[in-house]
Amino acid sequence: MKKTKIEQTIQLINNQISNKSLIAGSRLPSVRQLAKQLHCSVSTIVEAYARLIAEGVLESRVGSGYYVRGKSEPMPVIETDIHYQREIDPLWISRQSLEAKNEVLKPGCGWLPTSWMPEQTIRKALKTAAKSEAVMLIDYATPHGHIELRKLIARKKEQYQIKFQLNQILITDSATQSIDLIFRHLLVAGDVILIDDPCYFNFRALIKAHHLQAISIPFTENGPDLAKFEQALSLKPKIYLTNSGIHNPTGATISLQTVYQISKLVEQTDLMIIEDEIFADFEYIPAPRYASLAGFQHVIQIGSFTKTLSAAVRCGYIIADPKLIDDLIDLRIATNFSPSHLNAEIIYQALMDSSYPRHLDWLKKQLLKLSNETIQKLKTLGIKPWVIPTAGIFLWCTLPQGVQAAELSKLCLKHGLILAPGNSFSQAEQSEQFMRFNVAQCIDKKVFDILQTAIQQLQNSSIENS
């Protein structure tokens, strides 16, 4: 790509510094002199000098001109050591996946490959957002957040037959921030909260950060164990935190009967259900929702657009009772003041683009195909799915007899493979024989080669020890 005149000027000055034509303390020509020498505009030189000042290459002295700065010591880049003993820490998988180099394989992470994401749709949305009025680009958002995005969210909820007003939607920066806000407002340290077992490991991390007492409810193929759930209500829990639609990590879908039974139990209590819908756009057929049966007196819905659009443009939402939304707005203003209006506009434009439905359709077909292929490849290694998901990106699998997930994860990490061991998702730590696999990250044959070698090594070691 041809360089602009500004970039050419910057390169010229950097080259002169490199070959010692300009040394520390050297005075550069005035902007007018250099513009005349290079046959370009004064504004070009002004911008080039400004960028070099920002980079620490030049400095401006009032009334004197521009000078080459002395060479500064570069900041050392310190490689983070991998702590293998953290393989069960709920934050371990996310941190290792985020810090890992590009060549590291990540079947344990919770997102799609970059190449699967709608890059051109995001670029188009960025261009459209950049042409917005100044109020969109510069000012704070209104307390509830982007109104057109809230209207779009409300339309998307019509398929679940959930009725609510626009003032019941609060735009946030992410689903994680949404949970954090709700926890801050509704809970204090020591409060009892119910979670699925297994559940999304970041739920456990948030619970720990807020010093809450978590009670785990065994999660079955149809949803939470009803008897255990009813029994746990005697402990006066404040919140039940769960995934609706597609469950993480199991990929299971809750049954209508279970939703009905849980909703009836909750009606007699002060319990609030938080249903996280972050994987809703992967569904082929919408699963039952607690909000459809229990209403927003007992349900808070949260979600985001990270999984299908962009993890870089952070935007989420909360749907709840109007009074609770008002309280959450006050708390958000006190702690974060305002959501990102620009992020919300970019997400809105991307969702409204005609390419987005086609992108979703392609994603769902790819995931279904890869899910079937991954199941077959894992079966050859003695790894079997706990349930066959109807949609989504996850497989929750049992490992071969005698193979512990933590040990397998530790061994595979040394060979550049990040896995998601079962007990990272289990409050009761009863999932040492389970592993979560992201089918979209299992395309590379190396994933299965490394797994096979590691499993054989662990099984041989077990035989020798016995």
Side-chain angles (χ1 to χ4, degrees), residues 187-312:
L187 305 172
V188 296
D191 278 348
V192 176
I193 178 173
L194 305 183
I195 55 173
D196 300 323
D197 199 326
C199 73
Y200 173 39
F201 50 74
N202 208 46
F203 289 172
R204 295 181 59 205
L206 281 166
I207 289 166
K208 181 180 179 181
H210 284 270
H211 305 287
L212 306 174
Q213 182 182 351
I215 305 299
S216 58
I217 309 298
F219 199 82
T220 73
E221 294 182 17
N222 297 314
D225 183 298
L226 291 171
K228 297 292 185 182
F229 190 95
E230 185 173 10
Q231 183 181 351
L233 292 179
S234 64
L235 300 173
K236 306 295 183 184
K238 297 286 187 67
I239 279 175
Y240 168 44
L241 177 59
T242 188
N243 292 117
S244 59
I246 302 171
H247 186 256
N248 181 9
T250 67
T253 301
I254 192 169
S255 69
L256 179 59
Q257 182 180 6
T258 301
V259 171
Y260 175 77
Q261 294 292 343
I262 294 291
S263 298
K264 294 297 289 183
L265 289 171
V266 169
E267 282 180 5
Q268 312 303 318
T269 71
D270 294 325
L271 179 73
M272 186 68 74
I273 299 173
I274 302 177
E275 54 177 358
D276 181 357
E277 293 194 299
I278 196 168
F279 296 103
D281 280 345
F282 291 124
E283 291 181 284
Y284 270 104
I285 301 173
R289 297 295 196 266
Y290 287 110
S292 301
L293 294 180
F296 288 106
Q297 287 185 331
H298 289 282
V299 179
I300 303 169
Q301 282 195 341
I302 65 170
S304 78
F305 310 95
T306 304
K307 301 302 180 183
T308 56
L309 268 179
S310 170

Side-chain angles (χ1 to χ4, degrees), residues 34 54 62 87 114 125 163 216 252 268 320-321 344 363 371 389 391 447-448 450:
L34 191 57
V62 177
E87 70 276 354
T114 301
K163 301 295 182 182
S216 58
Q268 312 303 318
D321 176 82
L363 275 183
S371 181
V447 170
F448 304 97
I450 294 172

Side-chain angles (χ1 to χ4, degrees), residues 341-405:
H341 209 30
L342 185 55
N343 277 7
E345 173 68 7
I346 295 167
I347 292 295
Y348 171 72
Q349 293 296 340
L351 292 172
M352 290 295 291
D353 195 277
S354 61
S355 66
Y356 185 66
R358 295 194 298 273
H359 166 66
L360 281 185
D361 186 57
W362 179 84
L363 275 183
K364 288 188 279 192
K365 288 177 180 177
Q366 283 292 104
L367 287 170
L368 188 59
K369 173 177 175 288
L370 274 174
S371 181
N372 292 331
E373 291 177 0
T374 304
I375 287 172
Q376 295 306 314
K377 291 176 182 177
L378 290 174
K379 279 186 176 179
T380 64
L381 304 177
I383 302 173
K384 300 177 181 179
W386 176 72
V387 65
I388 306 295
T390 58
I393 67 177
F394 297 130
L395 293 174
W396 181 242
C397 299
T398 56
L399 298 175
Q401 188 67 31
V403 176
Q404 301 294 311

Side-chain angles (χ1 to χ4, degrees), residues 151-167:
K151 289 179 181 179
L152 179 57
I153 292 169
R155 290 196 298 271
K156 287 168 70 71
K157 299 300 176 185
E158 290 176 359
Q159 63 180 317
Y160 305 108
Q161 298 181 335
I162 303 173
K163 301 295 182 182
F164 54 90
Q165 304 298 318
L166 285 182
N167 67 344

Side-chain angles (χ1 to χ4, degrees), residues 9 73 137 186 205 347 362 410:
T9 303
E73 289 296 321
L137 300 175
L186 294 181
I347 292 295
W362 179 84
K410 188 185 299 185

